[in-house]
Amino acid sequence: MSQSGIQKSIESVLRETRTFAPPATFSATAHINSEQQYEAMWNRAKDDPSGFWADMASNLDWFRRWDTVMQGHMPDTKWFVGGKINACYNCVDRHLDGPNRNKAAIIWEGEPGDTRVLRYQDLHREVCKFANVLKKLGVQTGDRVTIYMPMVPELAIAMLACARIGAVHSIIFGGFSADAVADRNNDAQAKVIVTADGGWRRGKEVPLKVAVDASLDKSASVEKVVVVRRTGGDVDMIPDRDFWWHELMEDVSADCDAVPLDSEHPLFILYTSGSTGKPKGVMHTTAGYLLGTTMTTRWVFDLKEDDTYWCTADIGWVTGHSYICYGPLSNGASVVMYEGAPNWPDEGRFWEMIEKYRVSIFYTAPTAIRAFIKWGNHWPEKHDLSSLRLLGSVGEPINPEAWMWYHKIIGQERCPIVDTWWQTETGAIMISPLPGITATKPGSCARPLPGVVPDIVSREGQSLGPNEGGLLVMRQPWPSMLRTLYGDHDRFRKTYFSDVPGCYFAGDGARHDEDGYIWVMGRVDDVLNVSGHRLSTMEVESALVSHPKVAEAAVVGFPHEIKGEGICCFVSLKSGDGDDALKKELIGHVRNSIGALATPDQIRFAPSLPKTRSGKIMRRLLRDVAAGRESTQDTTTLEDLSVLAKLRADEE
Ligand code: PRX
């Protein structure tokens, strides 16, 4: 969003004045239950981060205590230097000594309705065995393993098995295409890939192994492929390269010690879109990430012994990494995991599952909430949702009306809502209401958590006052921040630390109000937020331009009722006029190059694209055209004014 875009959003959200105090019954038992407690924690973490985080670190199990809590300065900080720890041990083994041994760790449901419950001791056995499988396949500490799977328990088992032996997992969301998998395999130089024959989505098989096979023609580093039998679909198994999960698991022992790893040992790489260039391999390390996710799960979701917790994200995104796997399991939670679509076999699936498992904490995304609203209140109304005590939202700004619907229809005006702001790069939730103390305002993610010191600044880096829109930055390092972009530390420094000197900045615009509540207003760079997932306009443009008929393309977002932002592509062809058949072909081409999540909503052909005299595409103008707005932008530098008129004439 441009600076003037920010100003516009401020005007539109300023009208929100409703506040919702936490229910007294909730506050009475909350982990953080008074304003004084929050303020004391926040101030201590700001003034004495080493002391604060050292205290927090006693919530983890260590093989060796650290020597130094925090070393270095932004952007290059290290945490718990000298400590030895293992994330898998903290998520699994440490729960085996007490009553949690027989507690459900993962309550899984497949889309067809099959179910599986893994108690902590079952999870331990499966993880140890798969860790031994990885070792047998030649995976060593530090090697990268790609995981490209449906939402089945083996996905969590595979990631924890990597963590157990210090292999670095790189999980790729199952909706990405073969090309995207190949790019990520190559960038990470992955040695092994773990996949499945396929997964279920709206009653259809999503073929994953076929995509893996295609990716391997272009990614030579991968030596072995492990395939989970899920759908029973036909797959080609190449001898000595491809192995069935269930066969490998038959001949390994269930004993495998967790390796004591340096605190700063890499835990995973997760690729995310940036405004320029290829996807960024965000790298997180072990101790700081684990501490961030463990503490925020406790603070924000107020997790208790008897909660049943459900985060509907896919583990292929950071939300699933942090709040299906590491955070909740480290806290010994019972986690619901679901394979399929929310509207299969009908639009009541989520509410049916909440009733069936007596889910108490439910964490989902605004795009899903907007779809629930569209499907109608009669779906949730058919089910008993009285087990719910807390609701969460993540991925994009939640519009106040969606917030109110969530509050009334799902929360039945009883459940606090935590609107959690964070990013792949931050590893853990940064800004969020604390459900026991925060009076929530629909559309605001409220205040920073302890250890998070945000500011809102102008492009020149000046702190701004209440209700002035600016860039959301972090002034202090925090334990779960990304450490680098895999293989490109220079890009890491430039991307996050060069816009506002001395601060971390990852692309969002925001304002704070007179109560210190933060209102995030969306991206200020060329990154789209489609259904809560980041997608770079540049990646979609490169996919389009790789089609032989396309000369040039410009991609912008436009407001979309369900997805938040839709994808609008302006395309100029090498010759001839475009027609509907070519539109379809280009849509298919983008899906094949990136994946279904990047499917364009609109393709508009234009004889040329509007550019400034210096040759830059005027995206702001295109955004106005895509949104059907009259442009208020200055067009004096437009190279060819007639181009704009032509683009408008092509409006559908
Ligand atoms: O623009 C912000 C938006 O999602 C971006 C981060 O995307 P990603 O790394 O894919 O992680 C998504 C899940 C953490 C942010 O830069 N965003 C995320 N949560 C919120 C949000 N925007 C407003 N409010 C939120 N609660």
Side-chain angles (χ1 to χ4, degrees):
M1 198 188 299
S2 63
Q3 283 288 311
S4 57
I6 290 175
Q7 299 300 341
K8 267 190 217 147
S9 320
I10 293 174
E11 285 161 26
S12 64
V13 289
L14 259 179
R15 283 179 236 124
E16 188 53 60
T17 52
R18 293 168 283 198
T19 61
F20 296 84
T25 45
F26 194 104
S27 308
T29 59
H31 289 304
I32 298 180
N33 61 12
S34 74
E35 198 57 39
Q36 294 86 322
Q37 185 188 357
Y38 163 72
E39 270 166 28
M41 287 169 82
W42 195 85
N43 286 324
R44 166 124 195 265
K46 176 172 173 285
D47 300 334
D48 173 22
S50 293
F52 175 81
W53 287 112
D55 283 357
M56 294 303 118
S58 66
N59 289 293
L60 299 178
D61 280 18
W62 296 82
F63 294 116
R64 183 187 184 277
R65 201 184 145 85
W66 57 91
D67 302 314
T68 314
V69 177
M70 188 176 92
Q71 209 172 65
H73 301 280
M74 207 102 94
D76 295 305
T77 49
K78 290 182 175 168
W79 291 81
F80 304 102
V81 180
K84 295 273 186 195
I85 190 164
N86 185 288
C88 176
Y89 183 92
N90 275 275
C91 290
V92 185
D93 302 51
R94 66 169 170 157
H95 305 309
L96 300 183
D97 288 340
N100 280 353
R101 182 179 186 86
N102 273 315
K103 181 176 174 179
I106 296 176
I107 302 168
W108 175 80
E109 190 165 302
E111 193 184 74
D114 43 341
T115 59
R116 198 171 152 197
V117 177
L118 288 161
R119 300 166 303 160
Y120 272 95
Q121 60 173 333
D122 303 323
L123 185 61
H124 179 252
R125 186 186 60 240
E126 298 300 307
V127 166
C128 287
K129 283 172 72 178
F130 196 66
N132 281 330
V133 165
L134 289 174
K135 285 200 259 183
K136 229 170 139 178
L137 295 177
V139 176
Q140 295 176 351
T141 302
D143 285 345
R144 275 78 55 214
V145 173
T146 294
I147 301 179
Y148 179 62
M149 289 174 89
M151 281 283 284
V152 290
E154 288 83 354
L155 167 50
I157 293 166
M159 71 198 287
L160 289 165
C162 287
R164 190 164 194 85
I165 61 171
V168 183
H169 58 73
S170 162
I171 305 184
I172 305 175
F173 171 61
F176 278 111
S177 67
D179 283 356
V181 175
D183 284 350
R184 288 157 174 75
N185 280 340
N186 286 332
D187 191 76
Q189 286 293 292
K191 196 166 180 181
V192 166
I193 173 159
V194 187
T195 187
D197 46 6
W200 294 111
R201 188 89 190 161
R202 288 192 190 91
K204 292 210 184 80
E205 185 185 356
V206 179
L208 294 173
K209 175 63 165 58
V210 175
V212 166
D213 290 343
S215 79
L216 292 189
D217 294 341
K218 299 178 197 161
S219 39
S221 65
V222 178
E223 295 165 12
K224 309 277 183 210
V225 181
V226 182
V227 187
V228 171
R229 195 88 170 123
R230 168 67 191 136
T231 57
D234 267 351
V235 290
D236 289 334
M237 296 292 281
I238 295 175
D240 299 326
R241 190 196 76 179
D242 300 351
F243 304 88
W244 288 110
W245 172 291
H246 58 273
E247 289 177 4
L248 291 171
M249 292 287 269
E250 274 170 19
D251 341 302
V252 286
S253 116
D255 288 326
C256 175
D257 285 340
V259 178
L261 299 164
D262 286 340
S263 297
E264 284 292 327
H265 184 77
L267 179 62
F268 66 83
I269 303 167
L270 181 55
Y271 286 88
T272 188
S273 297
S275 50
T276 53
K278 61 184 169 91
K280 304 178 292 192
V282 168
M283 198 187 84
H284 283 286
T285 56
T286 306
Y289 171 82
L290 187 66
L291 185 58
T293 52
T294 303
M295 296 320 298
T296 51
T297 302
R298 200 171 302 181
W299 294 333
V300 175
F301 299 115
D302 191 48
L303 200 68
K304 304 276 169 45
E305 227 14 84
D306 54 357
D307 273 313
T308 300
Y309 165 95
W310 185 15
C311 164
T312 68
D314 191 290
I315 288 185
W317 306 110
V318 75
T319 306
H321 282 60
S322 300
Y323 297 108
I324 295 178
C325 188
Y326 291 108
L329 294 181
S330 157
N331 279 290
S334 290
V335 177
V336 173
M337 178 175 173
Y338 171 58
E339 177 189 30
N343 53 350
W344 189 265
D346 61 36
E347 283 74 7
R349 184 63 179 267
F350 277 13
W351 322 122
E352 183 193 313
M353 285 181 59
I354 288 175
E355 177 173 358
K356 178 169 166 190
Y357 298 111
R358 306 289 300 151
V359 171
S360 54
I361 302 172
F362 180 68
Y363 190 31
T364 196
T367 182
I369 297 169
R370 290 190 296 265
F372 304 148
I373 297 173
K374 198 172 157 207
W375 294 336
N377 295 359
H378 56 288
W379 291 109
E381 278 163 6
K382 271 193 219 165
H383 295 278
D384 175 7
L385 305 181
S386 62
S387 57
L388 290 171
R389 66 181 197 95
L390 178 69
L391 302 175
S393 170
V394 61
E396 57 181 305
I398 180 166
N399 33 316
E401 290 334 303
W403 196 103
M404 287 306 299
W405 182 90
Y406 201 28
H407 170 68
K408 282 197 180 132
I409 306 298
I410 305 305
Q412 299 170 349
E413 304 188 25
R414 175 187 73 242
C415 306
I417 296 179
V418 287
D419 175 2
T420 61
W421 179 89
W422 58 295
Q423 307 175 302
T424 304
E425 292 86 345
T426 68
I429 298 170
M430 303 289 277
I431 306 174
S432 170
L434 290 165
I437 60 167
T438 309
T440 46
K441 303 186 188 186
S444 167
C445 51
R447 293 175 301 177
L449 297 181
V452 175
V453 186
D455 198 1
I456 292 168
V457 300
S458 66
R459 292 234 173 236
E460 293 70 46
Q462 296 280 298
S463 295
L464 296 173
N467 297 321
E468 292 183 310
L471 312 178
L472 177 59
V473 299
M474 299 297 147
R475 291 211 173 268
Q476 258 179 229
W478 64 100
S480 68
M481 69 189 271
L482 81 166
R483 297 296 191 268
T484 192
L485 291 176
Y486 191 73
D488 199 348
H489 200 63
D490 224 35
R491 187 173 177 203
F492 159 79
R493 284 166 164 268
K494 278 198 200 107
T495 308
Y496 303 109
F497 302 95
S498 65
D499 293 78
V500 185
C503 292
Y504 165 86
F505 171 60
D508 281 358
R511 68 180 171 94
H512 57 79
D513 64 19
E514 42 293 309
D515 299 327
Y517 279 46
I518 294 174
W519 300 74
V520 173
M521 299 176 314
R523 309 283 311 180
V524 298
D525 54 13
D526 289 327
V527 172
L528 305 172
N529 192 327
V530 177
S531 302
H533 302 307
R534 269 156 69 175
L535 210 56
S536 119
T537 53
M538 220 271 331
E539 278 167 87
V540 183
E541 284 162 9
S542 336
L544 286 164
V545 174
S546 72
H547 187 282
K549 291 192 177 151
V550 174
E552 203 172 27
V555 171
V556 295
F558 68 97
H560 186 286
E561 198 191 339
I562 303 285
K563 300 201 276 186
E565 263 188 303
I567 304 174
C568 178
C569 311
F570 295 90
V571 174
S572 69
L573 297 172
K574 286 185 183 149
S575 64
D577 292 332
D579 56 14
D580 283 351
L582 184 57
K583 278 188 189 174
K584 266 202 194 120
E585 194 178 316
L586 292 177
I587 290 172
H589 183 71
V590 173
R591 283 174 73 109
N592 286 338
S593 317
I594 306 175
L597 70 161
T599 308
D601 296 279
Q602 296 179 22
I603 302 262
R604 295 178 180 213
F605 294 113
S608 57
L609 300 173
K611 291 188 187 156
T612 60
R613 288 196 186 109
S614 63
K616 277 177 93 178
I617 292 175
M618 299 191 71
R619 290 171 182 284
R620 281 181 296 159
L621 278 179
L622 293 178
R623 275 190 211 110
D624 286 340
V625 173
R629 282 189 298 258
E630 268 309 306
S631 188
T632 52
Q633 307 298 338
D634 178 17
T635 51
T636 47
T637 53
L638 193 60
E639 180 203 15
D640 175 4
L641 272 168
S642 65
V643 167
L644 186 63
K646 283 183 196 135
L647 287 173
R648 287 197 184 283
D650 188 43
E651 273 173 29
E652 289 152 326

